Amino acid sequence: MVLYVSPTFDGRIHDKRIAGTAYSIPPGYTLVQDTGYQGYCPEGVTVFQPQKRPKGKELTPEQKQHNRLISSFRVRVEHAIGSIKRYRTVKNECRLRKDFFIENVFDTCAALHNFRSKDRTFAYENKLT
């Protein structure tokens, strides 16, 4: 289920910069993020992020297991994004810029995803807590 949709940004803006300006995560929450947000750590928030492989070295088995654990949780987010992108109007370029049309289309598609997945509950294990 999609609980939050941020405002849309140009594709050239880095994820970390968007997070620093547009997101506000209250202290006490847990954030599971991908490597695109390397270095983003809001104060008072527990952050889980995969380890990057050091240059010329390999990850330890413990680090690989940690990365798999995070990936098994993040796959839920990727499935939701993929489900929203089933609506082609979200995936293709839209040249209509009047009255926040693009934001409204994405919000509507996220709501349709929530409506469609309401009766199809998934049984994911919550391994991070």
Side-chain angles (χ1 to χ4, degrees):
M1 178 173 271
V2 177
L3 301 177
Y4 174 74
V5 175
S6 71
T8 57
F9 289 87
D10 192 20
R12 294 171 288 181
I13 300 175
H14 196 274
D15 293 342
K16 184 181 171 194
R17 179 189 252 178
I18 294 170
T21 59
Y23 302 160
S24 175
I25 301 171
Y29 276 75
T30 301
L31 176 63
V32 181
Q33 62 188 21
D34 62 13
T35 53
Y37 294 93
Q38 189 78 31
Y40 176 69
C41 186
E43 209 169 298
V45 175
T46 305
V47 176
F48 288 100
Q49 181 172 343
Q51 293 274 326
K52 286 188 175 183
R53 182 180 59 84
K55 243 183 188 176
K57 297 181 181 178
E58 291 297 319
L59 292 175
T60 65
E62 294 82 21
Q63 290 171 324
K64 287 181 182 181
Q65 181 63 30
H66 178 73
N67 286 355
R68 272 190 226 101
L69 177 67
I70 293 172
S71 294
S72 69
F73 188 80
R74 286 219 20 95
V75 73
R76 304 175 200 186
V77 175
E78 300 303 331
H79 284 170
I81 292 169
S83 177
I84 292 170
K85 286 184 177 180
R86 285 182 186 156
Y87 300 102
R88 303 228 15 126
T89 188
V90 172
K91 219 161 58 169
N92 298 338
E93 182 181 357
C94 177
R95 294 180 291 178
L96 183 58
R97 305 278 187 238
K98 189 174 181 183
D99 297 330
F100 301 103
F101 181 78
I102 296 170
E103 286 86 356
N104 291 337
V105 166
F106 194 87
D107 291 347
T108 303
C109 291
L112 287 171
H113 159 76
N114 287 346
F115 180 74
R116 189 177 64 231
S117 64
K118 185 177 171 185
D119 294 329
R120 294 189 222 160
T121 56
F122 297 107
Y124 291 112
E125 286 184 39
N126 192 0
K127 300 175 187 176
L128 289 176
T129 57

